[in-house]
Amino acid sequence: MALVSTKKMFEMAYKGGYAIGAFNVNNMEITQGIIAAIAEEKAPLILQVSRGARKYASIGYLRAILNTAVEENPDIPIATHLDHGDSFETCKQAVDDGFTSVMIDASSKPFEENIAETKKVVEYAHAHGVVVEAELGRLGGIEEEAVGVSIDDVKSHLTDPDQAVEFVEKSGCDSLAVACGTSHGAYKFKKEPKLALDIIQTVADKLPGFPLVMHGSSSVLKEFKDLINKYGGDMPDAMGVPEDAISEASKMAVCKVNIDTDLRMAMTAKIRQVFAEKPSAFDPRDYLGPGREAIKNMVKHKLHILGCVGKAAECS
Ligand code: G3H
Ligand code: 13P
Ligand code: ZN
């Protein structure tokens, strides 16, 4: 049975100093591209679905795609995860829909409310054999200009390690997304990429063995930015998290690394290239097929950055 929760994966990833890739899926081609990569590289996998993806594709189609991915890969441990659940109701729905892991993101709420909402999700999810990721702190750049406030204010959005201990103890969550300077999307930094990986180490020292999660972990690779711009796109100032920082975090207590933007860029670059080089193409398979291949290649590359190549068997 390849459909699993993240429990064993995180145990093995923590011990082995690697991280599991959590890739966002919105349609069949994206999922197939990811699956082709993990099947070749024999890596454990988290397939995650955002609220936006549920709205775009509808849960019926998504469930069928995810189930097929799992059925066709019995030797690969795959967890299905709700990304950024915004309420108890959304998380309950995902548990009822058969997801093996849910994220409750109440990080914008006051500390005590975040704990209370997370605890409520934990009680329901655990009663159904589902694990829960929570978030403490706010994602966003560390650079002062990135958010237009003072550096002290920026730092106050990062995860406070002492609060993290209290949060985990009181909420009962199974993993915690920490804010250490990453942010979502293709425009993470204005000048130099800057992360506070020391926060991850401090949380790890205070919560030994507890799995941490890094959101906003796309690197916005120059090659793909250049291709997009070359073929008529407009992403001149896009900037991501350097891949060596992702590798470093993966060796630490970070057991799950969320990547969406880099997949979007790989697919977009390839489709733009096809349109530019084959203006006569109008069969969607002529561009979605190469787009799917581009996703596969990007995911293969990422699995090496995370260090989880060949780890499927030990996570099963
Ligand atoms: O959390 C961000 C992910 O990239 C999902 O994005 O909400 O546009 O599906 P989305
Ligand atoms: P990126 O936008 O950096 O790919 O982050 C994705 C993410 O964190 C999904 O939850
Ligand atoms: Zn995220």
Side-chain angles (χ1 to χ4, degrees), residues 224-239:
F224 294 87
K225 187 171 79 167
D226 289 350
L227 276 174
I228 288 174
N229 290 330
K230 176 178 172 187
Y231 292 114
D234 183 19
M235 302 183 71
D237 302 323
M239 197 187 293

PDB file of all heavy atoms in Angstrom, residues 224-239:
ATOM      1  N   PHE A 224      15.562  29.061 -15.914  1.00  0.00           N
ATOM      2  CA  PHE A 224      14.133  29.041 -16.257  1.00  0.00           C
ATOM      3  C   PHE A 224      13.568  30.456 -16.342  1.00  0.00           C
ATOM      4  O   PHE A 224      12.723  30.751 -17.187  1.00  0.00           O
ATOM      5  CB  PHE A 224      13.379  28.154 -15.256  1.00  0.00           C
ATOM      6  CG  PHE A 224      13.810  26.727 -15.395  1.00  0.00           C
ATOM      7  CD1 PHE A 224      14.914  26.243 -14.700  1.00  0.00           C
ATOM      8  CD2 PHE A 224      13.185  25.878 -16.288  1.00  0.00           C
ATOM      9  CE1 PHE A 224      15.363  24.941 -14.866  1.00  0.00           C
ATOM     10  CE2 PHE A 224      13.619  24.569 -16.468  1.00  0.00           C
ATOM     11  CZ  PHE A 224      14.717  24.101 -15.760  1.00  0.00           C
ATOM     12  N   LYS A 225      14.078  31.327 -15.474  1.00  0.00           N
ATOM     13  CA  LYS A 225      13.684  32.736 -15.554  1.00  0.00           C
ATOM     14  C   LYS A 225      14.107  33.293 -16.914  1.00  0.00           C
ATOM     15  O   LYS A 225      13.322  33.959 -17.596  1.00  0.00           O
ATOM     16  CB  LYS A 225      14.376  33.496 -14.414  1.00  0.00           C
ATOM     17  CG  LYS A 225      13.921  34.929 -14.282  1.00  0.00           C
ATOM     18  CD  LYS A 225      14.471  35.568 -13.031  1.00  0.00           C
ATOM     19  CE  LYS A 225      15.909  35.991 -13.205  1.00  0.00           C
ATOM     20  NZ  LYS A 225      16.373  36.880 -12.108  1.00  0.00           N
ATOM     21  N   ASP A 226      15.332  32.967 -17.323  1.00  0.00           N
ATOM     22  CA  ASP A 226      15.846  33.462 -18.602  1.00  0.00           C
ATOM     23  C   ASP A 226      15.029  32.917 -19.776  1.00  0.00           C
ATOM     24  O   ASP A 226      14.742  33.638 -20.730  1.00  0.00           O
ATOM     25  CB  ASP A 226      17.325  33.092 -18.779  1.00  0.00           C
ATOM     26  CG  ASP A 226      18.223  33.897 -17.846  1.00  0.00           C
ATOM     27  OD1 ASP A 226      17.720  34.855 -17.219  1.00  0.00           O
ATOM     28  OD2 ASP A 226      19.417  33.555 -17.722  1.00  0.00           O
ATOM     29  N   LEU A 227      14.665  31.625 -19.696  1.00  0.00           N
ATOM     30  CA  LEU A 227      13.873  31.031 -20.778  1.00  0.00           C
ATOM     31  C   LEU A 227      12.503  31.715 -20.881  1.00  0.00           C
ATOM     32  O   LEU A 227      12.031  32.035 -21.978  1.00  0.00           O
ATOM     33  CB  LEU A 227      13.666  29.529 -20.534  1.00  0.00           C
ATOM     34  CG  LEU A 227      14.774  28.585 -20.977  1.00  0.00           C
ATOM     35  CD1 LEU A 227      14.467  27.168 -20.527  1.00  0.00           C
ATOM     36  CD2 LEU A 227      14.948  28.629 -22.504  1.00  0.00           C
ATOM     37  N   ILE A 228      11.886  31.919 -19.736  1.00  0.00           N
ATOM     38  CA  ILE A 228      10.563  32.570 -19.730  1.00  0.00           C
ATOM     39  C   ILE A 228      10.680  33.961 -20.354  1.00  0.00           C
ATOM     40  O   ILE A 228       9.896  34.346 -21.224  1.00  0.00           O
ATOM     41  CB  ILE A 228      10.001  32.631 -18.287  1.00  0.00           C
ATOM     42  CG1 ILE A 228       9.572  31.224 -17.855  1.00  0.00           C
ATOM     43  CG2 ILE A 228       8.826  33.617 -18.198  1.00  0.00           C
ATOM     44  CD1 ILE A 228       9.137  31.104 -16.403  1.00  0.00           C
ATOM     45  N   ASN A 229      11.709  34.702 -19.934  1.00  0.00           N
ATOM     46  CA  ASN A 229      11.874  36.059 -20.470  1.00  0.00           C
ATOM     47  C   ASN A 229      12.239  36.038 -21.955  1.00  0.00           C
ATOM     48  O   ASN A 229      11.765  36.865 -22.735  1.00  0.00           O
ATOM     49  CB  ASN A 229      12.915  36.825 -19.643  1.00  0.00           C
ATOM     50  CG  ASN A 229      12.385  37.140 -18.248  1.00  0.00           C
ATOM     51  OD1 ASN A 229      11.182  37.302 -18.058  1.00  0.00           O
ATOM     52  ND2 ASN A 229      13.273  37.206 -17.277  1.00  0.00           N
ATOM     53  N   LYS A 230      13.056  35.057 -22.343  1.00  0.00           N
ATOM     54  CA  LYS A 230      13.467  34.947 -23.752  1.00  0.00           C
ATOM     55  C   LYS A 230      12.259  34.687 -24.658  1.00  0.00           C
ATOM     56  O   LYS A 230      12.180  35.206 -25.769  1.00  0.00           O
ATOM     57  CB  LYS A 230      14.474  33.798 -23.888  1.00  0.00           C
ATOM     58  CG  LYS A 230      14.913  33.518 -25.313  1.00  0.00           C
ATOM     59  CD  LYS A 230      15.953  32.407 -25.340  1.00  0.00           C
ATOM     60  CE  LYS A 230      16.236  31.993 -26.781  1.00  0.00           C
ATOM     61  NZ  LYS A 230      17.097  30.820 -26.856  1.00  0.00           N
ATOM     62  N   TYR A 231      11.340  33.888 -24.166  1.00  0.00           N
ATOM     63  CA  TYR A 231      10.198  33.515 -25.008  1.00  0.00           C
ATOM     64  C   TYR A 231       8.946  34.332 -24.697  1.00  0.00           C
ATOM     65  O   TYR A 231       7.829  33.833 -24.734  1.00  0.00           O
ATOM     66  CB  TYR A 231       9.930  32.016 -24.895  1.00  0.00           C
ATOM     67  CG  TYR A 231      11.041  31.185 -25.510  1.00  0.00           C
ATOM     68  CD1 TYR A 231      11.844  30.364 -24.735  1.00  0.00           C
ATOM     69  CD2 TYR A 231      11.298  31.249 -26.882  1.00  0.00           C
ATOM     70  CE1 TYR A 231      12.879  29.618 -25.307  1.00  0.00           C
ATOM     71  CE2 TYR A 231      12.332  30.517 -27.454  1.00  0.00           C
ATOM     72  CZ  TYR A 231      13.113  29.703 -26.664  1.00  0.00           C
ATOM     73  OH  TYR A 231      14.130  28.983 -27.232  1.00  0.00           O
ATOM     74  N   GLY A 232       9.158  35.601 -24.383  1.00  0.00           N
ATOM     75  CA  GLY A 232       8.023  36.530 -24.303  1.00  0.00           C
ATOM     76  C   GLY A 232       7.448  36.745 -22.918  1.00  0.00           C
ATOM     77  O   GLY A 232       6.475  37.487 -22.761  1.00  0.00           O
ATOM     78  N   GLY A 233       8.035  36.105 -21.894  1.00  0.00           N
ATOM     79  CA  GLY A 233       7.533  36.301 -20.533  1.00  0.00           C
ATOM     80  C   GLY A 233       8.065  37.590 -19.922  1.00  0.00           C
ATOM     81  O   GLY A 233       8.866  38.306 -20.541  1.00  0.00           O
ATOM     82  N   ASP A 234       7.661  37.864 -18.712  1.00  0.00           N
ATOM     83  CA  ASP A 234       8.072  39.103 -18.061  1.00  0.00           C
ATOM     84  C   ASP A 234       8.260  38.844 -16.565  1.00  0.00           C
ATOM     85  O   ASP A 234       7.355  39.076 -15.763  1.00  0.00           O
ATOM     86  CB  ASP A 234       6.988  40.175 -18.306  1.00  0.00           C
ATOM     87  CG  ASP A 234       7.397  41.519 -17.723  1.00  0.00           C
ATOM     88  OD1 ASP A 234       8.607  41.728 -17.476  1.00  0.00           O
ATOM     89  OD2 ASP A 234       6.504  42.358 -17.493  1.00  0.00           O
ATOM     90  N   MET A 235       9.428  38.306 -16.230  1.00  0.00           N
ATOM     91  CA  MET A 235       9.733  38.039 -14.815  1.00  0.00           C
ATOM     92  C   MET A 235      11.155  38.524 -14.517  1.00  0.00           C
ATOM     93  O   MET A 235      11.976  37.765 -13.978  1.00  0.00           O
ATOM     94  CB  MET A 235       9.648  36.528 -14.519  1.00  0.00           C
ATOM     95  CG  MET A 235       8.327  35.879 -14.825  1.00  0.00           C
ATOM     96  SD  MET A 235       8.316  34.115 -14.360  1.00  0.00           S
ATOM     97  CE  MET A 235       8.298  34.182 -12.571  1.00  0.00           C
ATOM     98  N   PRO A 236      11.475  39.767 -14.828  1.00  0.00           N
ATOM     99  CA  PRO A 236      12.877  40.183 -14.721  1.00  0.00           C
ATOM    100  C   PRO A 236      13.442  40.145 -13.305  1.00  0.00           C
ATOM    101  O   PRO A 236      14.597  39.807 -13.123  1.00  0.00           O
ATOM    102  CB  PRO A 236      12.868  41.613 -15.271  1.00  0.00           C
ATOM    103  CG  PRO A 236      11.454  42.064 -15.156  1.00  0.00           C
ATOM    104  CD  PRO A 236      10.599  40.844 -15.284  1.00  0.00           C
ATOM    105  N   ASP A 237      12.653  40.487 -12.316  1.00  0.00           N
ATOM    106  CA  ASP A 237      13.210  40.620 -10.963  1.00  0.00           C
ATOM    107  C   ASP A 237      12.922  39.432 -10.057  1.00  0.00           C
ATOM    108  O   ASP A 237      13.066  39.526  -8.843  1.00  0.00           O
ATOM    109  CB  ASP A 237      12.652  41.889 -10.292  1.00  0.00           C
ATOM    110  CG  ASP A 237      12.980  43.116 -11.130  1.00  0.00           C
ATOM    111  OD1 ASP A 237      14.070  43.154 -11.708  1.00  0.00           O
ATOM    112  OD2 ASP A 237      12.117  44.021 -11.212  1.00  0.00           O
ATOM    113  N   ALA A 238      12.501  38.325 -10.664  1.00  0.00           N
ATOM    114  CA  ALA A 238      12.172  37.162  -9.834  1.00  0.00           C
ATOM    115  C   ALA A 238      13.425  36.662  -9.109  1.00  0.00           C
ATOM    116  O   ALA A 238      14.516  36.656  -9.678  1.00  0.00           O
ATOM    117  CB  ALA A 238      11.586  36.056 -10.704  1.00  0.00           C
ATOM    118  N   MET A 239      13.271  36.269  -7.845  1.00  0.00           N
ATOM    119  CA  MET A 239      14.413  35.762  -7.066  1.00  0.00           C
ATOM    120  C   MET A 239      13.935  34.770  -5.997  1.00  0.00           C
ATOM    121  O   MET A 239      12.912  35.006  -5.351  1.00  0.00           O
ATOM    122  CB  MET A 239      15.138  36.925  -6.387  1.00  0.00           C
ATOM    123  CG  MET A 239      16.536  36.563  -5.924  1.00  0.00           C
ATOM    124  SD  MET A 239      17.309  37.859  -4.966  1.00  0.00           S
ATOM    125  CE  MET A 239      17.522  39.119  -6.200  1.00  0.00           C
TER     126      MET A 239
END
